[in-house]
Amino acid sequence: MAYTSAPPYWDFPVRPGLVDAPQEERYEWSSTEHFAIAYWGQEYSFPQGITAGATTRWEQGVFQVQLHVEGAAVVPCSRCLRPVELALQSDFLYFYVLKSRAENDEDQGFDDEEHFILVDSWPETLNIAPLVWECLVEVLPPAVLCTKDCKGICPTCGADLNTEECTCSGQEIDPRLEQLEKLKQQFPEADKGGE
């Protein structure tokens, strides 16, 4: 199944603990279940799942989450459709802020920044699965090639031009253009550009 948002079974908990506690906390997770992401009009498959890590800290009443995500995706080549493996990794810093503080400190721009997340209160645990998802999606390339000089597939017979010769004559006409070809045959002098 290809997901368009974080899989419902993902659980990456962090604990804010006491506000402005001085120590950093480190977390490591591994989700080995196969999943796929539907994005850019294609499917990115993660057969081995992903690993993620986070370092959290407090700074002036703001809970910071430094996130690192890694995974190996398999996606079809944009030209020949052969599977291509991609090693992906992403790092991003997020800031959790109380809504009440954001409302009082409008000049801080908490609402305007995508990396600020507003919360009503400090829960005992935060599941940062949506952040892990966002980090992963941010690094997905819109187009992938198996090689720089991939020849693709024949649009008529579907032959992989990297591995076999195309048996098409190259004379096939797009059905949408058949009427134009008939006109060209009817009036050959028009094809000469008025010479």
Side-chain angles (χ1 to χ4, degrees):
M1 176 179 182
Y3 293 95
T4 55
S5 60
Y9 59 85
W10 274 11
D11 187 27
F12 304 110
V14 296
R15 298 170 62 88
L18 297 175
V19 176
D20 285 332
Q23 72 275 11
E24 289 186 347
E25 298 288 340
R26 296 183 188 279
Y27 301 85
E28 295 286 335
W29 306 278
S30 182
S31 177
T32 57
E33 188 167 338
H34 174 266
F35 72 97
I37 296 176
Y39 200 66
W40 294 117
Q42 54 194 352
E43 189 171 300
Y44 301 79
S45 177
F46 290 79
Q48 306 301 320
I50 60 164
T51 59
T55 301
T56 64
R57 70 179 63 84
W58 282 97
E59 181 144 344
Q60 298 179 353
V62 176
F63 185 60
Q64 300 181 9
V65 179
Q66 177 70 53
L67 192 55
H68 176 78
V69 182
E70 289 186 18
V74 178
V75 62
C77 171
S78 296
R79 290 184 188 161
C80 70
L81 304 180
R82 285 189 286 178
V84 180
E85 188 168 315
L86 301 172
L88 300 172
Q89 66 175 11
S90 178
D91 293 275
F92 210 86
L93 180 60
Y94 293 91
F95 303 92
Y96 282 88
V97 182
L98 285 177
K99 284 184 183 177
S100 57
R101 178 177 176 188
E103 291 166 0
N104 293 333
D105 296 344
E106 292 179 5
D107 59 324
Q108 296 292 324
F110 293 131
D111 283 327
D112 302 330
E113 298 290 339
E114 291 181 8
H115 52 270
F116 281 101
I117 301 161
L118 304 182
V119 293
D120 292 316
S121 61
W122 295 118
E124 185 176 338
T125 303
L126 289 165
N127 181 10
I128 62 170
L131 308 187
V132 173
W133 176 267
E134 183 177 77
C135 278
L136 207 51
V137 169
E138 284 290 322
V139 294
L140 294 177
V144 177
L145 296 179
C146 57
T147 61
K148 289 181 182 179
D149 57 349
C150 175
K151 297 175 183 176
I153 57 175
C154 172
T156 304
C157 69
D160 184 345
L161 302 177
N162 297 300
T163 59
E164 58 185 304
E165 292 292 326
C166 179
T167 57
C168 296
S169 64
Q171 301 294 324
E172 288 79 5
I173 299 171
D174 186 322
R176 297 167 295 183
L177 302 177
E178 281 181 355
Q179 293 303 319
L180 291 176
E181 182 62 26
K182 287 178 184 176
L183 286 172
K184 182 178 168 184
Q185 291 170 359
Q186 250 183 329
F187 304 100
E189 64 280 356
D191 191 39
K192 297 176 182 177
E195 289 178 11

